[in-house]
Amino acid sequence: MDTIPVVSTFTSPFENSPRSDSSSPFRKPLSLWPGMYHSPVTDALWQARSSIFEKLLDSNGPPQSELLCKTPSQSRTSIFYKFSTDYILREQYRDPWNEVRIGKLLEDLDALAGTISVKHCSNDDSTTRPLLLVTAAVDKMVLKKPIHVDTDLTIAGSVIWVGHSSLDIQMVVTQPRDGDSDSSDDPIALTANFTFVARDSKTGKSAPVNHLTPETEEEKKLYEVADARDKLRKKKREEKKMEFQKSFRILHRDGERLRALLSEGRILCDMPALADRDSILLRDTRLENSLICQPQQRNLHGRIFGGFLMHRAFELAYSTCYAFVGRMPRFLEVDHVDFLRPVDVGDFLRFKSCILYTQLENPKQPLINIEVVAHVTRPELRSSEVSNTFYFTFTVNPDALKDDLRIRNVVPATEEEARRVLERRDAESS
């Protein structure tokens, strides 16, 4: 397994690289490299992908004619964070509570998954043009335990499944307790699965990727699970084509559920003095922020880095939960994320969040479910399109619950809000 070294730095790793030597992977002008806002980890990843990027800039060759058969071990790559001794690196990832900033980790996970997909799809023929590989989806990302910023950390991943033009990469974040690699505690802190799709860099059409041959029993099992997940994805796509009919059925078949959800919300709207004091309207939990996408945030292909979008969505969700609960939130998971529309440099991006609903049945671990929708807005065209919808689940520190912390029940006030809540709950239960 390849391990990518990570060092703390405040400057681009390319700035001092020679540009005139034709044998150097860094001979292109600095202006042609992707944006340099990235963390030290993503800087290291750009270096690992630099030769591929050189080929992409000169992509006048023919496409790959013969697909290779590769194993998961050939793409397996890891990043090692030496937090215990690298003070500058540690400070770049520290949050106010001495844990790792999950938003920055999401960026690194996406960047490493991209590097792994490039390794799997590359060949040894320097005359063929490389593929464009973009993040298509992120399957449920689960945080299994808090990630501390003063203990060394490892992210590792490999390709576990391939289709015709898509591939799944499993990512695992490990951090042994107290930095002890022999600890009996499970060192796995976070797991996630990324889906990338391949496009021809000249035509933009879908392109076939190298085959995958799992070798070990564990690799074969992961392949089977990923294959089943792909079938489920295709089934969900078919269901989305019948979205109108689905909405119609919800309005009629599930009318009773809708009425029950709306009953308390309508009391809050029409008779607030008589409403349940432990309830709050969904619309009163909303937060929003916006930004203009800058060149420093672009990825290998000139589009906005998928990890950057996840980072911004996570931090808005975290703030929304913090303002709602009044205590430090504890992140649990990100549900499936589809990247519906690419985001370009110069796009006006708006993130809108709300508490979609709370689950208070378990008093020891109440759940706060947050929706963040990213809109690409074009004021000159008077248009706005959804780029991504993120669903985050948080809870609170158990110590906060000892202080009689009250978490309110969130209720919808409109049928559109109620349908979103029902659809989300049904997705969670399935």
Side-chain angles (χ1 to χ4, degrees):
M1 176 169 65
D2 291 343
T3 299
I4 298 176
V6 176
V7 295
S8 56
T9 176
F10 288 116
T11 61
S12 160
F14 305 115
E15 284 183 355
N16 298 319
S17 303
R19 301 182 193 172
S20 56
D21 182 2
S22 60
S23 65
S24 169
F26 306 115
R27 59 188 170 84
K28 293 289 183 182
L30 185 62
S31 61
L32 294 180
W33 290 102
M36 288 296 108
Y37 92 99
H38 308 293
S39 71
V41 172
T42 46
D43 281 343
L45 290 167
W46 292 130
Q47 290 201 48
R49 282 192 260 181
S50 59
S51 61
I52 300 295
F53 187 55
E54 288 284 312
K55 288 173 64 179
L56 186 62
L57 292 173
D58 299 318
S59 58
N60 294 319
Q64 182 177 340
S65 58
E66 186 175 345
L67 297 177
L68 307 178
C69 261
K70 292 193 174 184
T71 64
S73 60
Q74 287 178 278
S75 65
R76 191 165 291 125
T77 311
S78 67
I79 299 175
F80 182 64
Y81 300 70
K82 194 118 179 110
F83 285 140
S84 60
T85 57
D86 193 330
Y87 172 79
I88 295 175
L89 184 68
R90 187 164 68 239
E91 286 303 302
Q92 288 180 285
Y93 282 81
R94 183 192 302 277
D95 75 4
W97 299 278
N98 210 39
E99 293 181 359
V100 169
R101 290 176 62 189
I102 298 296
K104 285 185 71 67
L105 205 58
L106 294 180
E107 289 192 38
D108 294 350
L109 285 163
D110 182 65
L112 179 56
T115 295
I116 291 167
S117 68
V118 166
K119 287 180 67 175
H120 178 82
C121 295
S122 61
N123 61 8
D124 297 326
D125 187 353
S126 60
T127 64
T128 61
R129 61 176 180 263
L131 299 174
L132 288 174
L133 291 154
V134 295
T135 312
V138 181
D139 262 315
K140 186 167 284 190
M141 183 182 298
V142 179
L143 183 70
K144 297 179 178 293
K145 64 179 183 178
I147 303 177
H148 303 289
V149 79
D150 52 3
T151 304
D152 293 343
L153 183 75
T154 301
I155 299 178
S158 64
V159 175
I160 60 170
W161 175 89
V162 299
H164 172 71
S165 60
S166 60
L167 55 164
D168 277 11
I169 297 114
Q170 185 187 62
M171 308 295 295
V172 179
V173 178
T174 56
Q175 186 178 61
R177 182 173 59 87
D178 298 325
D180 181 7
S181 59
D182 298 324
S183 170
S184 58
D185 289 352
D186 187 354
I188 296 178
L190 184 146
T191 58
N193 287 288
F194 285 73
T195 300
F196 279 71
V197 293
R199 298 285 182 265
D200 187 282
S201 57
K202 180 172 285 187
T203 67
K205 296 180 180 179
S206 64
V209 298
N210 289 328
H211 304 298
L212 185 72
T213 305
E215 295 178 306
T216 68
E217 288 303 315
E218 178 65 19
E219 289 171 354
K220 292 174 183 177
K221 182 179 177 181
L222 288 172
Y223 188 96
E224 290 173 2
V225 171
D227 193 53
R229 191 163 51 239
D230 179 67
K231 289 182 173 66
L232 182 61
R233 280 197 297 260
K234 290 177 180 176
K235 182 181 176 182
K236 287 183 176 180
R237 280 198 294 270
E238 288 298 317
E239 290 174 351
K240 283 184 178 179
K241 293 178 182 178
M242 304 174 67
E243 189 171 345
F244 176 77
Q245 292 91 332
K246 184 179 177 183
S247 298
F248 186 81
R249 288 197 304 272
I250 288 175
L251 281 172
H252 290 77
R253 185 194 66 194
D254 296 337
E256 195 61 38
R257 295 171 69 199
L258 277 169
R259 283 191 290 275
L261 268 177
L262 287 167
S263 60
E264 185 61 31
R266 283 172 175 160
I267 293 172
L268 272 167
C269 291
D270 300 336
M271 297 172 285
L274 302 179
D276 184 351
R277 293 292 181 269
D278 288 331
S279 294
I280 185 173
L281 291 173
L282 182 154
R283 68 189 184 200
D284 292 332
T285 68
R286 291 172 178 162
L287 288 181
E288 180 178 341
N289 62 27
S290 58
L291 59 99
I292 304 294
C293 297
Q294 304 295 336
Q296 294 79 13
Q297 295 148 3
R298 72 191 189 276
N299 65 12
L300 190 69
H301 312 303
R303 294 276 172 70
I304 298 303
F305 188 42
F308 172 79
L309 301 176
M310 287 194 289
H311 184 174
R312 294 303 297 259
F314 174 85
E315 297 207 334
L316 179 60
Y318 192 97
S319 301
T320 304
C321 189
Y322 200 176
F324 173 71
V325 177
R327 297 288 191 281
M328 182 187 76
R330 184 162 293 283
F331 167 68
L332 292 179
E333 66 182 41
V334 182
D335 200 8
H336 183 87
V337 178
D338 283 314
F339 289 79
L340 304 175
R341 182 194 182 285
V343 181
D344 295 316
V345 173
D347 279 350
F348 176 26
L349 200 60
R350 300 177 70 184
F351 290 92
K352 301 179 181 181
S353 70
C354 69
I355 310 291
L356 205 53
Y357 61 96
T358 54
Q359 294 170 271
L360 309 177
E361 295 83 3
N362 181 359
K364 294 183 179 179
Q365 191 182 62
L367 302 179
I368 300 99
N369 296 274
I370 299 176
E371 177 189 71
V372 180
V373 182
H375 297 259
V376 174
T377 304
R378 297 180 181 276
E380 62 275 286
L381 300 177
R382 301 205 311 176
S383 70
S384 181
E385 296 179 272
V386 173
S387 167
N388 308 84
T389 302
F390 303 86
Y391 295 102
F392 299 92
T393 303
F394 291 85
T395 187
V396 292
N397 194 305
D399 292 337
L401 299 172
K402 297 175 183 177
D403 302 329
D404 296 324
L405 176 67
R406 184 182 69 172
I407 297 177
R408 289 185 170 188
N409 180 41
V410 176
V411 293
T414 66
E415 286 191 358
E416 189 273 332
E417 290 175 349
R419 284 198 298 272
R420 280 160 53 202
V421 173
L422 281 182
E423 288 171 6
R424 188 71 222 132
R425 283 180 169 173
D426 290 345
E428 281 287 323
S429 62
S430 63

